[in-house]
Amino acid sequence: MKGYEAPTYGDLIAEAYDDLYVDVSEAQLDVLEKLAGDGAALELGVGTGRVALPLAERGVEVHGVDASEDMLDRLRAKPGGEFVRATVSDFRIIEPDGPFSLVYVVFNTFFSLTSQEDQLACFASVADHLEPGGSFLIEAFYPDLSRFDRGQTVRATSVGLDAVQLEVTQHDPVRQLITNQHVVLSREGTRMYPVVLRYAWPSELDLMALAAGLRLRERWGDWDERPFTSGSGRHITLYSNDEDH
């Protein structure tokens, strides 16, 4: 997508993000709080603080990085925003010093790194910032290539009385790239929120982890820690820098 850069998604969607995505479960927060323990946590792609703020409310020291200043402005303006130490940064190379007991990236955000090289760099940087026995958690979709017809798809994600939300997507299987426009049609007009993702299969993520000196610890199908199966649409994967952890 010509002109698309790391901050583009966040800069364009910041004003509407919290209206579009509000699904943070207690089970998700329970897992993250347990993994953080008494240490500090770092969220990659912290955005408007959808996850970081309620986690900080539980007493966890939360740091965050995001490529979009507009997203972080939204975070800082919220009640409790001052308790999340947020930095503008592309998370290929992590800038906060750490060490962290937990680094996490949720809601498919790891795939916003649009090349394998960048994803490998992120794993290596995470490994450098984890304390001994620390954890790296990734929540991501399991690629379903059957949803594409001749490399594309158009589908309605929401149909309401006053608005319709559409997802228009092109798929490049060679580069494992998904180029997407989230289109909102409403009485107020049309809004478009582009995003480019480079998906990776769980086995590929495991190899990236090994290259960075991390080991697969757990893989669940949901935040209730149910097993990951062939029918799971997403996975929550946990890596550790201590194979005996």
Side-chain angles (χ1 to χ4, degrees), residues 21 28 53-54 59 64 70 81 94 109 115 148 163 167 177 180 201 210 213 215 223 226 228:
Y21 305 111
Q28 179 178 5
L53 286 171
D70 289 348
I94 298 170
T109 304
S115 72
F148 300 107
E167 186 180 79
L177 279 183
N180 176 277
W201 304 94
L210 284 171
R215 298 291 185 272
W223 289 104
R226 285 187 279 260
F228 174 75

Side-chain angles (χ1 to χ4, degrees), residues 21 38 57 81 97 109 123 139 141 163 184 214 219 238 240:
Y21 305 111
D38 295 328
E57 288 176 0
D97 292 334
T109 304
F123 264 99
E139 178 194 23
F141 63 79
V184 179
L214 302 176
R219 178 167 285 130
L238 188 62
S240 174

Side-chain angles (χ1 to χ4, degrees), residues 46-195:
V46 67
T48 64
R50 187 176 65 98
V51 177
L53 286 171
L55 189 60
E57 288 176 0
R58 292 182 171 215
V60 177
E61 179 186 325
V62 182
H63 300 245
V65 297
D66 201 279
S68 170
E69 184 73 65
D70 289 348
M71 292 285 262
L72 294 186
D73 285 344
R74 296 271 171 173
L75 184 158
R76 295 175 182 128
K78 292 180 179 180
E82 68 274 16
F83 297 116
V84 177
R85 304 176 188 181
T87 304
V88 177
S89 175
D90 181 339
F91 58 81
R92 290 173 296 178
I93 304 298
I94 298 170
E95 293 187 3
D97 292 334
F100 300 100
S101 59
L102 170 66
V103 178
Y104 66 96
V105 54
V106 295
F107 201 46
N108 311 315
T109 304
F110 182 78
F111 294 161
S112 67
L113 298 171
T114 56
S115 72
Q116 187 182 71
E117 180 182 7
D118 287 348
Q119 292 175 356
L120 281 164
C122 179
F123 264 99
S125 191
V126 168
D128 287 341
H129 285 73
L130 284 177
E131 65 183 31
S135 303
F136 180 32
L137 182 144
I138 297 176
E139 178 194 23
F141 63 79
Y142 185 79
D144 177 13
L145 306 188
S146 67
R147 61 189 286 248
F148 300 107
D149 179 12
R150 288 165 291 180
Q152 59 185 303
T153 185
V154 178
R155 67 188 185 101
T157 58
S158 176
V159 179
L161 185 63
D162 298 316
V164 173
Q165 297 179 25
L166 303 175
E167 186 180 79
V168 183
T169 309
Q170 289 185 323
H171 174 228
D172 180 345
V174 175
R175 295 189 293 165
Q176 297 174 206
L177 279 183
I178 293 174
T179 303
N180 176 277
Q181 278 279 10
H182 184 186
V183 183
V184 179
L185 307 174
S186 69
R187 298 183 189 277
E188 288 72 38
T190 301
R191 291 174 292 166
M192 302 176 70
Y193 306 115
V195 63

Side-chain angles (χ1 to χ4, degrees), residues 18-35:
D18 289 332
D19 294 327
L20 296 171
Y21 305 111
V22 295
D23 55 337
V24 179
S25 69
E26 290 299 310
Q28 179 178 5
L29 296 173
D30 289 344
V31 168
L32 297 175
E33 181 182 13
K34 179 181 177 180
L35 291 172

